[in-house]
Amino acid sequence: MAFTLEDLPIRDDLRGQSPYGAPQIHVRVALNVNENTHPVPDDVAADILESVRQALVTVNRYPDREFTALRESLAGYLSTPGQIVAAEQIWAANGSNEVIQQLLQAFGGPGRSVLGFPPTYSMHSMIAAGTGSRWIPAERDESFTISPATAAAAVEQHRPDLVFLCGPNNPTGTPLSLETIAAVYDATDGIVMVDEAYAEFMPKDRPSAVTLLPGRERLVVSRTMSKAFAFAGARVGYLAAHPAVVDALRLVRLPYHLSALTQAAAIAALRHAPEMLGMVDDIVVQRDRIVTELREMGYHPYDTWSNFVLFGGVDDPNAVFEALLTHDVIVRDLGIPGHLRVSAGTAAETSAFLDAMREITASRPAVRVEA
């Protein structure tokens, strides 16, 4: 008989678990994992390449393990005329998933619990499991929202050591109010983490959870460069919090966890933040176009502040998913009955998806049901 995973002395709480499993199918239009499908502008890419070239000259030496210059760059990026974020408040790692993992290594673990509100980012519960932290799912309100009262009641009922919020929420795109975050913080003595991976796609007049940091020493705001900065392949995530939280993460991080090349590339990209964020405006236009045109087709797209759209009213999500593949388009079937999720791409990619949906809908009228 073949030797399998189940034959190994793996931890009991990991038996039966499945790894992260977004399909990796090569198609012409990939709109399934919320990437920024716009390429990095040529001038920005040239500057990044030059910065990496310079870093290579001393790559025989360990990098700055405090990634000082990167923290200063990220602090400058997050600071506004009304609020200065200090470099001492910044932590970074190889993607926001590693940031979250380090947070759980420091504040979670065996005998401790994490409260979240599914459907939400799948890696929250998976990283909790990987660190031996108990995941507690709580109910959302109608249309995937979370009111301050609902959130605070869940915290008071379960008394978790950490609370994970996601705003805008993945996979629904749902906004998260500052009032809900504040209510959760007031209801717990534990760590409250707000995952703002899609913050740059929120309306420009809506404040980030970063504005709540002053006076809230247990609040953590996680961000990523994967989405707005088109840096998914570079793996750079970060958080802003009280310096004491950063000190806690130093206790669990691996030595020199951010390579010199990663640091150099991220600093160079941040130098071009206005140009990089110009892509965000284009993506928001396509996102809103998806909402409008899916609604005209009879589907139920949800309000979204992210770079993707969750839409209901699909009687057989797997059949529509497969039909889209025949058009060389891939979206995401999340296992939410009657729903699919699609990322907003370039104008051409968005058109390819919408044209395919119109053709599929016309040929299979039963794909639409009441959401």
Side-chain angles (χ1 to χ4, degrees), residues 38-360:
H38 294 61
V40 174
D42 289 343
D43 62 320
V44 180
D47 191 17
I48 292 172
L49 284 170
E50 175 58 23
S51 296
V52 171
R53 186 196 67 79
Q54 293 177 22
L56 278 169
V57 175
T58 57
V59 80
N60 59 306
R61 301 290 188 179
Y62 286 117
D64 174 9
R65 67 172 176 267
E66 296 300 320
F67 43 96
T68 307
L70 176 56
R71 290 168 73 192
E72 290 171 349
S73 295
L74 288 167
Y77 172 68
L78 286 183
S79 294
T80 64
Q83 182 181 7
I84 300 299
V85 177
E88 293 75 18
Q89 294 178 264
I90 299 295
W91 188 254
N94 297 283
S96 59
N97 287 331
E98 187 177 49
V99 170
I100 294 167
Q101 182 181 59
Q102 291 171 343
L103 195 68
L104 282 165
Q105 287 175 315
F107 298 102
R112 296 196 172 194
S113 61
V114 189
L115 178 72
F117 294 84
T120 192
Y121 182 40
S122 61
M123 287 305 300
H124 288 172
S125 58
M126 294 180 71
I127 298 172
T131 58
S133 311
R134 181 167 62 94
W135 174 255
I136 303 172
E139 295 291 328
R140 289 177 172 265
D141 296 314
E142 188 178 357
S143 297
F144 304 116
T145 59
I146 316 174
S147 70
T150 293
V155 172
E156 290 164 359
Q157 176 185 352
H158 296 287
R159 311 308 302 173
D161 297 284
L162 300 94
V163 181
F164 281 5
L165 300 167
C166 194
N169 186 53
N170 178 13
T172 64
T174 315
L176 177 70
S177 72
L178 297 188
E179 291 77 13
T180 294
I181 299 168
V184 167
Y185 188 90
D186 292 341
T188 180
D189 294 327
I191 297 293
V192 177
M193 191 277 291
V194 182
D195 187 335
E196 281 197 338
Y198 302 92
E200 285 88 352
F201 299 94
M202 297 193 302
K204 290 181 170 55
D205 61 345
R206 297 304 179 115
S208 158
V210 172
T211 61
L212 294 178
L213 287 173
R216 293 181 174 88
E217 293 81 4
R218 294 173 287 103
L219 180 63
V220 176
V221 183
S222 170
R223 291 283 192 96
T224 182
M225 292 184 70
S226 293
K227 312 302 180 182
F229 279 83
F231 238 47
R235 311 307 302 130
V236 181
Y238 60 101
L239 63 73
H242 190 277
V245 174
V246 173
D247 286 340
L249 300 184
R250 285 193 178 90
L251 300 176
V252 299
R253 63 99 178 266
L254 295 174
Y256 311 105
H257 70 289
L258 270 179
S259 79
L261 306 185
T262 298
Q263 294 180 44
I267 293 167
L270 287 162
R271 282 198 295 267
H272 297 270
E275 184 175 356
M276 298 291 274
L277 294 178
M279 294 184 288
V280 169
D281 295 335
D282 294 337
I283 293 167
V284 167
V285 168
Q286 300 308 317
R287 177 199 70 193
D288 294 345
R289 177 185 167 204
I290 291 171
V291 169
T292 298
E293 296 193 27
L294 283 177
R295 187 173 289 129
E296 290 172 351
M297 292 181 216
Y299 296 99
H300 177 67
Y302 290 84
D303 291 338
T304 175
W305 283 5
S306 61
N307 70 336
F308 57 83
V309 178
L310 179 75
F311 60 100
V314 184
D315 77 326
D316 189 341
N318 183 66
V320 176
F321 175 89
E322 294 293 340
L324 284 167
L325 283 180
T326 67
H327 289 78
D328 225 13
V329 176
I330 187 171
V331 297
R332 190 72 177 270
D333 183 353
L334 298 152
I336 302 175
H339 292 74
L340 289 170
R341 189 193 70 193
V342 59
S343 308
T346 63
E349 290 169 331
T350 300
S351 292
F353 162 72
L354 291 169
D355 290 345
M357 283 299 297
R358 272 187 282 269
E359 184 174 328
I360 293 166

